[in-house]
Amino acid sequence: TQLLEQSPQFLSIQEGENLTVYCNSSSVFSSLQWYRQEPGEGPVLLVTVVTGGEVKKLKRLTFQFGDARKDSSLHITAAQPGDTGLYLCAGPLRGYQKVTFGTGTKLQVIP
Amino acid sequence: GAGVSQSPSNKVTEKGKDVELRCDPISGHTALYWYRQSLGQGLEFLIYFQGNSAPDKSGLPSDRFSAERTGGSVSTLTIQRTQQEDSAVYLCASSFVPYRQTNPGYTFGSGTRLTVV
């Protein structure tokens, strides 16, 4: 059973387009993180959202944590080829000391 | 070192052979994690170390998998009698403390790509 489901699984868009990636769960998370992974590398942390309803912006990336802390979204404005990669959400289950990762969204931005 | 170092970066082995994968975490990071990633998909948790002990090894797929950590630093993941389904990228991550909301998150190595032929 996958605790964190991401959609879409794959996304191929033209440079300059906007996109949104979703991370959903039936479980409540105390916080959620988003990572980006490029081919041949390990995931790199982008952001941590902690409070229900929280919105964080990182240049052209906007992250939102759902009010009920069961879901999160990542919106990219005016995508660039450098945004290409695998986007992973991740979060700890209550009482756990490890992080569980989502199924991933593979993004390709075509120049 | 400045980052998490994993070796080898690539390993091709014959079915039935044993392999050892090494992870050298960031100095001072007490928590160390092993994950497995297949075909560019999400990460599957394998084992977690706090210091030299492993409070959570629930993700190890079978008794062919084992891991140890010595000196609170280097960790080795051993796979005995490898099978083709073991083929994947094995990622190691470390963090200063176990997960916290204020934690800057895990720092991952670049992984070891294991291919069993």
Side-chain angles (χ1 to χ4, degrees):
Chain A
T1 302
Q2 187 61 245
L3 291 167
L4 286 168
E5 295 283 350
Q6 290 185 238
S7 60
Q9 189 175 1
F10 299 99
L11 191 55
S12 181
I13 62 171
Q14 295 290 327
E15 180 177 0
E17 292 183 355
N18 301 333
L19 67 116
T20 302
V21 175
Y22 299 92
C23 173
N24 293 288
S25 177
S26 58
S27 301
V28 175
F29 285 85
S30 58
S31 59
L32 279 179
Q33 296 183 322
W34 284 92
Y35 289 77
R36 178 170 66 211
Q37 184 180 21
E38 298 183 15
E41 299 295 327
V44 175
L45 179 68
L46 296 174
V47 76
T48 302
V49 286
V50 177
T51 306
E54 179 178 7
V55 176
K56 280 193 174 178
K57 292 191 175 183
L58 185 66
K59 295 184 181 178
R60 294 175 295 99
L61 278 60
T62 301
F63 304 86
Q64 184 162 8
F65 200 11
D67 291 341
R69 304 207 311 274
K70 292 183 177 181
D71 57 87
S72 180
S73 64
L74 158 60
H75 182 79
I76 301 179
T77 303
Q80 299 178 1
D83 296 326
T84 293
L86 178 68
Y87 288 81
L88 295 157
C89 64
L93 291 179
R94 193 167 301 180
Y96 279 51
Q97 292 183 320
K98 67 189 182 198
V99 166
T100 185
F101 282 81
T103 49
T105 294
K106 185 172 286 188
L107 171 65
Q108 179 186 36
V109 182
I110 303 167
Chain B
V4 177
S5 178
Q6 290 188 246
S7 61
S9 55
N10 281 285
K11 176 72 176 179
V12 180
T13 189
E14 292 182 351
K15 178 182 173 181
K17 300 281 190 183
D18 297 353
V19 295
E20 283 190 353
L21 312 180
R22 176 188 168 105
C23 173
D24 201 340
I26 292 174
S27 178
H29 278 194
T30 61
L32 186 147
Y33 306 80
W34 283 98
Y35 285 84
R36 180 168 70 174
Q37 185 175 36
S38 301
L39 297 174
Q41 298 303 308
L43 277 63
E44 173 190 6
F45 169 80
L46 296 178
I47 188 169
Y48 152 60
F49 285 94
Q50 177 58 33
N52 291 336
S53 63
D56 189 344
K57 53 179 78 172
S58 62
L60 294 178
S62 73
D63 58 8
R64 296 187 295 105
F65 287 73
S66 63
E68 65 174 10
R69 188 179 185 193
T70 56
S73 181
V74 173
S75 176
T76 302
L77 176 68
T78 301
I79 308 173
Q80 296 179 308
R81 304 181 303 282
T82 52
Q83 303 295 313
Q84 288 186 329
E85 61 262 29
D86 299 334
S87 296
V89 175
Y90 290 81
L91 288 161
C92 174
S94 70
S95 65
F96 189 60
V97 293
Y99 184 88
R100 295 288 187 272
Q101 293 176 7
T102 56
N103 194 308
Y106 295 172
T107 300
F108 279 89
S110 296
T112 293
R113 180 176 296 278
L114 175 65
T115 303
V116 182
V117 298

